[in-house]
Each structure stands twice: as C-alpha cells, then as structure tokens.
Amino acid sequence: MNKKELVATDYGFNGIKNILNKHDINYASWIARQIHKERGGIELYTPNVEGEIYLTWGDIYFVDIKFVNQNNKEFKSAVSTTELESIVIKIEEMRKDYVKKMSEMLKTNFKEEE
C-alpha cells in the first residue's frame, strides 16, 4: 500500500481509538492491531472476544466478532457509531470481568500457607 492509501485506512482505526480514549479504555490491554480493510479498523483478541471492527466505504462500522467463551457465538453486523461504542464498552467489561475472575481463582488456589 502506498502512503496515500494508508492514510485513507487510518480514518476507521483512529475512530475506534477515539472511542477507546473517550471511555478511558486502555488500548494496550487488548491484543489488537491496525488493519487496512476498506477505510481501516482493528483486528482484536481479548480473553472473551476475537475478530475485526472496521469502517466500511459507506462510512458505517462493520463488526465481525466471535465470543470465544460463549460457544463461539458470532456477531456480524453493520453498526452505528453509538452502537459501536456500546459494543466496545461491553467487550472491555467482559475483559475486566475475566481478568478479575482469573485473579481471584489464582489467589484462592495458590494461597500462601502459613
């Protein structure tokens, strides 16, 4: 891809980063990378969700994700920015809940004996 094409695909990626920042979601907590599909977006992996979110040529976000801890249920849909914000917030809540549960499980199972 040339530099002009990369700039065009930064638009969707930057839009997703803006949503993450708006809701104080630390992008580094997700395993994610920028993708250059249509107008740009991210490929993401969290303990509960994996897939892609990108901005289509029609200026609407497309979400193609799988819920890996819920029998691999899939969600594929074009969504508005408001809906995307709700989805991103839910993904982050699920990630935080999973981390908390794993932390509690490790503390319970590996307590230091006195």
Side-chain angles (χ1 to χ4, degrees):
M1 264 186 189
N2 65 37
K3 195 170 189 170
K4 188 176 182 180
E5 290 171 328
L6 288 177
V7 171
T9 64
D10 285 349
Y11 189 70
F13 175 70
N14 289 332
I16 295 167
K17 280 187 6 183
N18 288 340
I19 290 170
L20 293 167
N21 291 333
K22 177 180 175 183
H23 296 283
D24 294 323
I25 297 171
N26 184 355
Y27 181 73
S29 299
W30 296 21
I31 298 172
R33 69 177 181 91
Q34 182 176 4
I35 59 173
H36 301 288
K37 193 175 208 174
E38 297 197 34
R39 296 193 66 198
I42 64 170
E43 179 179 18
L44 68 113
Y45 298 91
T46 69
N48 306 86
V49 178
E50 63 182 45
E52 296 179 338
I53 302 171
Y54 59 91
L55 186 64
T56 67
W57 292 116
D59 276 344
I60 192 155
Y61 280 95
F62 191 81
V63 177
D64 181 0
I65 56 176
K66 183 188 312 179
F67 297 92
V68 294
N69 291 338
Q70 297 177 359
N71 296 325
N72 289 326
K73 290 182 184 176
E74 293 185 359
F75 178 81
K76 293 182 182 188
S77 182
V79 297
S80 69
T81 306
T82 305
E83 292 168 322
L84 178 60
E85 284 189 40
S86 297
I87 291 167
V88 166
I89 290 167
K90 184 62 179 174
I91 291 170
E92 178 63 3
E93 288 172 355
M94 291 171 69
R95 186 197 66 77
K96 284 182 175 178
D97 288 346
Y98 182 84
V99 169
K100 183 179 178 184
K101 286 177 187 173
M102 289 295 103
S103 175
E104 290 170 357
M105 188 259 323
L106 290 171
K107 286 177 186 175
T108 301
N109 291 327
F110 297 101
K111 280 186 180 176
E112 191 173 317
E113 293 185 15
E114 295 180 30

